[in-house]
Every structure is written in structure tokens, then in C-alpha cells.
Amino acid sequence: MLGFSPPSLEKLVREFSLLPGIGKKTARRLAFHLISGDREKMGDFANAILEAKEKLVHCKICYGITETEICPLCASRNRDRTILCVVEKAADILPFESSGAFKGLYFVLGGVLSPLDGIRPENLHIPQLIERVHSDEVQELILALGSSPEAESTALYIDRKLADTSARRTKLARGIPVGSDLEFIDEITMLRAFEERVRV
Amino acid sequence: MLGFSPPSLEKLVREFSLLPGIGKKTARRLAFHLISGDREKMGDFANAILEAKEKLVHCKICYGITETEICPLCASRNRDRTILCVVEKAADILPFESSGAFKGLYFVLGGVLSPLDGIRPENLHIPQLIERVHSDEVQELILALGSSPEAESTALYIDRKLADTSARRTKLARGIPVGSDLEFIDEITMLRAFEERVRV
């Protein structure tokens, strides 16, 4: 807090600096940008936050972000209900939908298992997932979790919990990203791409 | 706009992406961060924006950002009123105050001259600056403007306009930033540092 700087400006700077990846200097630059522009636009920004706060809820079926009780994806009659893509967080749905390759449904776990941080299956939506696969028409479960040790062991845990079902468990292929220069590929990605190489 | 994504979320993403240096992907990450956290904190953020919108005004004397008619710096009895530091924008005051080296007053121009963009002296606070130097006790004017051609010609314009006054016009020293490795200094900074070299 700087003595000469107005409290309401410092408060705005602090709010921006709480965002991920936004340091003190960037927060100040963003705050100055907002207050230096059209004041009406500040109202628009505040209202967008308040409206999102008010309207956004978790879908009762997939736990994604939605404005309705059941999200449009879960409610759609055009999606393949036999295939379920399990992701860590709602934001992970976007790249699937953008690619247009996936026509099934999603399920948001809400994180990955991490016993050291006290995150157990019941802290995530894992019981609900197991229940759904047992009672629903799911034939394939794509475990699209990250590549951290926690994410990998979460996938293993779910796989084991569903060993008694006929639902196939799969994961995404790992390898060289399309368009990447081999020179810049990290060692672990290269190792995976090598180990999981396929016929031309 | 993505079909499956809720409108209020997309609106929030758009607001973030209007900020400088925030691309589409970062805007989405920030929006997801906000809605994934404590909902009360979203209210705090919105209120910080609304409070800043409501309270922040331009100081009637220096045109800096303040909550009062006259900012604390201009109102202070502990500042040297004979020396005036002229900056482009209110955000430029911070590094001076942080350094603690400057005890004079500030004057915010509100930009630099740019005839091609239609920015003339009367679109900035230049007439008010000239008036102030003529009528006030200012003995030195530090023209702390940027190093763009527009900023340099703005400094020259002000210098010429004040040729008939006894107020000394100065500018900040240019040279090698303290702590910088010479290897990484750009050519123009090096040229300036060389030209304006001083006795040890």
C-alpha cells in the first residue's frame, strides 16, 4: 500500500494481483487501464462478474459449469451417451469441444486424488462417477486427466474401481504435438512418443 | 462464443480479454479461476471495480488519480513546491514515489503530442501546465516523458513554450540501468550512455 495512492485504487490492484499469473506490476497496469478508460466500461466489467457469480452453477449430472440445472451438453439428444470423457476441471472441456472430434458426454472430477493434501475420492466426484458408470449405459470411459503422478494414480484408482464393469477404460494418446519441431520436445514426451510408437 | 459455454461465462471472458496484454486463453483461465473459487470473492472483485469507478477522480491541480478534489501530494505541506515533475500518465508517478528520491510535485499531461492522431496541446493538460509555471513558484520542471519521438517532441514543445520563464527545464538522465549486464543493453541506450558519459 502506497501512502499517496488512493485506497480504492490499491484495493482494485490487490484484487487483480489475486488472479493467477498476475504479479503486482501487471495488476497495477490493469487497474490503471480500467480507471483510465471509459467509466461505463468499468460498470460493464463489474456487472459481468456479478452476473457470472449469480448465474453460474455446477451441472447436476456432469459437474461442469452451466446456467441451467442440467448443462446443454448433458441435456442434448445429439450426444453419444455410451462414451464418457472424465476431466479434472470444467475448463478442460473446451479443447475437446473446439476440436469437434468428441461427440460423447463429459464428467468433471473436480480435481485429482492427493492423499498428502487430504484429497480423497469422496472429496472429488469419484463416488458419483462410479455410481453413474454402474447404473448408466456407459460403454467407454476416457480418463482425460493430466500427466502428474497424482493424475495418473487417480486414473489408476478409477480404473480399478470399475474393474467389475464392462465399460472400457481408455486414456488419450501421448506423443509429439502436431506441428511441433522435434528439437524443442521435452525428454519425457519424447520417451512416451518413442515407447508408444505406431505403424505408419 | 462457444455454443456449449454459458453466456455469462463468455461475457466474463470477453471483459478480461479487453484488458491490455490479456489474450483469449488467459482471459478464459482468469474467468475460470474466479468462478471456481469462493463466490464471495467474486463479489469483492466486482465491488472493488465499482468503488474505484465511483470514487476515483482526477486531482484538480496535477490531474493525477485521487479520491479527493486535491490529491494528498498536491495538498501536502511537506513537498517542495518549486520543483515540478511532468509525466505522461498517473501511473508514472509510482516509480518516483517508490524511489523516495523526489520531494517535489507532479503534473500529469494525459499523453503526448501526436498531430497524426489529432492530439494537440489543448487535448492534453499543456495549457494548464504553461499557465501554472507562469503563475506559480515553479523553479524547475523535470520533463519525465518517454523516449518515443512523440514524447521527445512534446518535451521540446513545452521547453520552447516556457523559454520566457526563469523555470529551469531538465530531463531524466538516460544510461545503463543499475544492475544491468552490459551484454544485454540495447544499442540506443548504449549510445546515449556513451554520449552522456560523466567523470568518475
Side-chain angles (χ1 to χ4, degrees):
Chain A
M1 176 73 88
L2 291 151
F4 76 95
S5 191
S8 57
L9 174 57
E10 291 305 307
K11 208 185 274 179
L12 187 57
V13 171
R14 208 180 60 86
E15 288 294 337
F16 272 116
S17 70
L18 293 174
L19 296 172
I22 305 287
K24 272 276 162 64
K25 288 201 171 180
T26 305
R28 192 163 292 276
R29 193 164 51 86
L30 296 179
F32 266 105
H33 173 86
L34 265 195
I35 61 169
S36 304
D38 180 355
R39 286 293 164 104
E40 279 315 300
K41 288 194 181 147
M42 291 182 74
D44 293 346
F45 199 159
N47 287 336
I49 297 173
L50 293 174
E51 197 184 322
K53 172 179 186 274
E54 205 62 43
K55 289 190 179 171
L56 294 176
V57 293
H58 288 284
C59 170
K60 289 243 188 298
I61 297 180
C62 72
Y63 302 98
I65 300 285
T66 173
E67 288 180 6
T68 47
E69 200 168 346
I70 309 294
C71 79
L73 291 173
C74 288
S76 167
R77 295 192 165 270
N78 299 320
R79 310 286 301 202
D80 181 352
R81 302 184 161 267
T82 65
I83 178 164
L84 197 61
C85 179
V86 180
V87 293
E88 278 181 45
K89 49 194 195 300
D92 294 340
I93 292 175
L94 179 66
F96 287 95
E97 286 301 297
S98 299
S99 82
F102 183 66
K103 290 297 172 204
L105 295 175
Y106 299 92
F107 190 93
V108 180
L109 279 190
V112 287
L113 294 173
S114 178
L116 285 177
D117 302 315
I119 301 177
R120 296 153 187 288
E122 58 273 23
N123 301 121
L124 306 175
H125 300 124
I126 290 182
Q128 292 88 331
L129 174 64
I130 307 294
E131 161 77 19
R132 175 158 172 193
V133 177
H134 274 121
S135 68
D136 219 346
E137 53 194 320
V138 180
Q139 284 166 22
E140 181 177 349
L141 206 69
I142 304 175
L143 294 163
L145 306 177
S147 43
S148 67
E150 289 80 5
E152 302 238 358
S153 64
T154 305
L156 271 179
Y157 178 89
I158 295 171
D159 181 60
R160 236 174 287 153
K161 277 282 178 187
L162 293 172
D164 60 337
T165 69
S166 60
R168 203 154 62 106
R169 281 85 66 193
T170 58
K171 56 181 185 174
L172 295 175
R174 298 217 182 265
I176 313 294
V178 177
S180 279
D181 195 323
L182 286 188
E183 191 180 349
F184 303 117
I185 296 299
D186 67 282
E187 295 152 27
I188 296 176
T189 300
M190 183 51 95
L191 198 68
R192 286 284 196 110
F194 182 75
E195 282 171 359
E196 300 179 16
R197 65 195 184 277
V198 293
R199 280 192 168 277
V200 179
Chain B
M1 177 73 91
L2 292 150
F4 76 95
S5 191
S8 57
L9 174 59
E10 291 305 307
K11 211 187 273 180
L12 186 58
V13 171
R14 208 180 59 87
E15 287 295 337
F16 272 116
S17 70
L18 292 174
L19 295 172
I22 306 286
K24 271 277 162 66
K25 287 201 171 180
T26 305
R28 192 164 291 277
R29 193 164 50 86
L30 297 178
F32 267 104
H33 172 86
L34 264 194
I35 61 169
S36 304
D38 180 355
R39 286 294 164 102
E40 279 315 301
K41 288 195 181 146
M42 291 182 74
D44 294 347
F45 198 160
N47 286 335
I49 297 174
L50 292 174
E51 197 185 323
K53 172 178 185 274
E54 206 63 43
K55 289 191 179 170
L56 294 176
V57 292
H58 288 283
C59 170
K60 289 243 189 299
I61 297 179
C62 74
Y63 301 98
I65 300 287
T66 174
E67 288 180 6
T68 47
E69 201 168 344
I70 310 293
C71 80
L73 291 173
C74 288
S76 167
R77 294 193 166 272
N78 300 319
R79 309 287 300 202
D80 181 352
R81 299 181 165 270
T82 65
I83 178 164
L84 197 61
C85 179
V86 180
V87 293
E88 277 180 46
K89 50 193 192 301
D92 295 339
I93 292 176
L94 179 65
F96 287 95
E97 286 302 297
S98 300
S99 82
F102 183 66
K103 291 295 173 206
L105 295 175
Y106 298 93
F107 190 92
V108 179
L109 278 190
V112 287
L113 294 174
S114 178
L116 284 178
D117 302 315
I119 301 177
R120 297 153 187 289
E122 58 273 21
N123 302 121
L124 306 174
H125 300 124
I126 290 181
Q128 293 89 332
L129 174 64
I130 307 295
E131 161 76 20
R132 175 159 171 191
V133 177
H134 274 122
S135 65
D136 219 345
E137 50 194 323
V138 180
Q139 284 165 24
E140 182 178 347
L141 207 70
I142 305 175
L143 294 163
L145 306 177
S147 44
S148 66
E150 288 82 4
E152 303 239 357
S153 65
T154 305
L156 271 179
Y157 178 87
I158 295 171
D159 180 60
R160 233 174 288 154
K161 277 281 177 189
L162 293 172
D164 60 338
T165 70
S166 60
R168 203 154 62 105
R169 280 86 66 193
T170 59
K171 57 180 183 173
L172 295 175
R174 298 217 182 263
I176 314 294
V178 178
S180 277
D181 194 323
L182 286 188
E183 190 179 350
F184 303 116
I185 296 297
D186 67 281
E187 294 152 28
I188 296 175
T189 301
M190 182 52 96
L191 197 67
R192 286 283 195 112
F194 181 76
E195 281 172 1
E196 300 179 17
R197 67 193 182 279
V198 293
R199 281 192 167 276
V200 179

